[in-house]
Amino acid sequence: MRRLYFIIVLILLGIFQPTYAEEAAEFKVAEEETKKTIPDEIHRIMRSGVRRFADRIDRFFVDERIEAERQRSSLRLRPTLEWREGGELDFSFRFKANLVLPRLKRKFQMFALSLVDEENDDVDPDLLDTTPNTLNKQNVENRSSALGLEYNLFSQLRRHVRFRVGAKFHDLEVNPFTSARYRHTFVFEHWLSIIKQRVYWFGDTGFGEQSDLEWEGKIGEKVQFRSISSVIWSETSKGVDLAQTLMLRRFTDADKAISLSYQIKGHTRPNSVVDAHVIAILYRQQFWREWLFFDVSPQVHYLREADYSSGTMLFFSFETII
């Protein structure tokens, strides 16, 4: 009987021993794969962290890229009080409305927005952002509005393709327009790179195109750096119009953020010349409700038309986002 038990034990060991060996081999392979994927996982987390930080701060400043990705109906109202050196006061009221058409697979939407003629050749919603390129030419006589239809061929995190057709209204004049824009986002370990290409036609100014290259990245844990390089050609431009913007933005609290920006503008014909230097600070705070914002933005301008003598402006804005 003892011999029988001994034989049975040997048989059982022979049956289960390969299983133990296989489990040990599988565990060893899994451990090696885990070791191999740790750097990849760290890289993935860092990339997603950079993207989340950029999206959070862009959403707070209502960046056009975030609005395009969300693809939802919205209304932005922005009354602004403008103070200029010498005591001159002006009031402006800017707006932007998007109405997404869900029955057309959310690829079509109607839009309406206010514009500043010197800056609206591409009829782009980023014109409502509080950045230097939208604040140094707030002339009430040059304000107009636009109404049209937008088609989004692709609306993804990495790429966005849209087409627009509509009309621009100024006083009693009506000018048709059409535009196409492609945006592609490249995600690196610590940076985002965004390429934008716009082509447009206006009934009053003709054809034009604009190429933008943007770089976004984190400096430390709370500061975002952004660089925007723009090259613009149109039938009304002086050769090629150039612009470079450098910007630092950070949250000072969960509902408060500050931005420091510097912009230089110029053109290439008949000679290459700098037209303006603009230094701006923007303080933006959310208050009372998550859809209400208050902005204060002092600026200093050095314009060629004023022999580069300094000029100051101050803007107070309330923004409602519905």
Side-chain angles (χ1 to χ4, degrees):
M1 183 64 70
R2 291 181 179 178
R3 290 182 179 179
L4 179 60
Y5 286 148
F6 183 70
I7 292 172
I8 293 174
V9 170
L10 290 177
I11 293 174
L12 291 175
L13 289 175
I15 293 174
F16 288 104
Q17 186 174 357
T19 304
Y20 295 147
E22 289 174 3
E23 290 180 355
E26 290 177 358
F27 178 78
K28 185 176 181 180
V29 171
E31 186 179 14
E32 290 178 354
E33 289 180 352
T34 302
K35 290 180 179 178
K36 290 180 180 178
T37 58
I38 285 177
D40 296 331
E41 184 66 15
I42 293 175
H43 181 261
R44 184 188 66 80
I45 292 172
M46 291 177 66
R47 287 179 56 172
S48 62
V50 171
R51 185 57 187 262
R52 285 197 302 269
F53 179 79
D55 288 351
R56 180 169 175 257
I57 199 166
D58 286 346
R59 188 176 293 110
F60 189 83
F61 283 94
V62 199
D63 185 84
E64 179 270 338
R65 176 174 59 88
I66 299 298
E67 289 294 289
E69 290 169 0
R70 295 174 70 183
Q71 286 295 295
R72 66 177 181 85
S73 299
S74 63
L75 174 64
R76 293 174 60 187
L77 305 175
R78 188 180 180 85
T80 301
L81 180 64
E82 308 166 9
W83 175 88
R84 301 171 187 270
E85 190 173 357
E88 181 182 353
L89 292 176
D90 191 15
F91 176 80
S92 65
F93 184 84
R94 310 191 75 176
F95 68 90
K96 175 198 164 200
N98 283 330
L99 178 61
V100 177
L101 306 178
R103 292 185 179 274
L104 297 177
K105 299 182 179 180
R106 305 184 72 86
K107 288 185 175 292
F108 287 88
Q109 59 180 295
M110 299 182 65
F111 67 89
L113 63 155
S114 59
L115 301 166
V116 178
D117 280 0
E118 294 94 335
E119 304 286 356
N120 68 349
D121 286 339
D122 57 359
V123 192
D124 204 308
D126 1 19
L127 295 172
L128 287 179
D129 291 344
T130 311
T131 50
N133 63 323
T134 65
L135 293 180
N136 58 359
K137 291 184 178 180
Q138 296 276 356
N139 191 332
V140 67
E141 287 79 13
N142 292 326
R143 292 180 188 140
S144 57
S145 57
L147 178 66
L149 181 67
E150 176 181 308
Y151 172 68
N152 291 277
L153 180 61
F154 297 105
S155 184
Q156 302 171 354
L157 291 174
R158 288 188 176 271
R159 60 176 178 167
H160 182 247
V161 179
R162 79 172 184 207
F163 301 92
R164 283 183 162 185
V165 61
K168 184 177 68 173
F169 304 92
H170 177 66
D171 292 336
L172 299 178
E173 297 181 4
V174 179
N175 285 297
F177 68 84
T178 182
S179 66
R181 193 195 66 177
Y182 174 75
R183 187 199 71 233
H184 196 100
T185 302
F186 299 90
V187 182
F188 300 99
E189 185 173 355
H190 299 287
W191 295 86
L192 299 179
S193 178
I194 303 171
I195 296 176
K196 296 180 184 178
Q197 183 65 48
R198 304 179 177 106
V199 180
Y200 53 87
W201 173 84
F202 277 80
D204 55 345
T205 58
F207 289 95
E209 72 88 22
Q210 178 171 343
S211 302
D212 295 337
L213 174 61
E214 300 184 15
W215 288 93
E216 294 183 14
K218 291 175 63 177
I219 300 178
E221 293 298 322
K222 298 182 179 180
V223 179
Q224 180 202 51
F225 171 79
R226 172 179 285 185
S227 170
I228 306 173
S229 305
S230 300
V231 179
I232 306 168
W233 173 87
S234 70
E235 295 185 40
T236 59
S237 62
K238 299 176 182 178
V240 176
D241 293 335
L242 305 172
Q244 176 65 51
T245 303
L246 303 176
M247 186 181 302
L248 295 173
R249 300 194 294 191
R250 67 157 292 175
F251 282 102
T252 58
D253 205 343
D255 58 353
K256 303 178 183 68
I258 190 168
S259 169
L260 172 64
S261 59
Y262 166 72
Q263 184 181 70
I264 181 172
K265 285 186 172 184
H267 62 269
T268 62
R269 187 178 296 176
N271 298 307
S272 297
V273 64
V274 174
D275 293 315
H277 299 270
V278 181
I279 301 172
I281 298 174
L282 167 65
Y283 172 78
R284 182 173 176 87
Q285 178 175 339
Q286 190 179 65
F287 70 101
W288 194 35
R289 294 291 187 271
E290 62 179 10
W291 40 270
L292 285 176
F293 295 87
F294 172 69
D295 295 352
V296 179
S297 179
Q299 296 186 13
V300 180
H301 303 160
Y302 300 89
L303 307 180
R304 183 173 66 92
E305 59 189 27
D307 295 325
Y308 300 107
S309 59
S310 63
T312 58
M313 300 178 69
L314 184 60
F315 298 86
F316 300 92
S317 302
F318 288 94
E319 185 168 33
T320 303
I321 303 175
I322 301 174

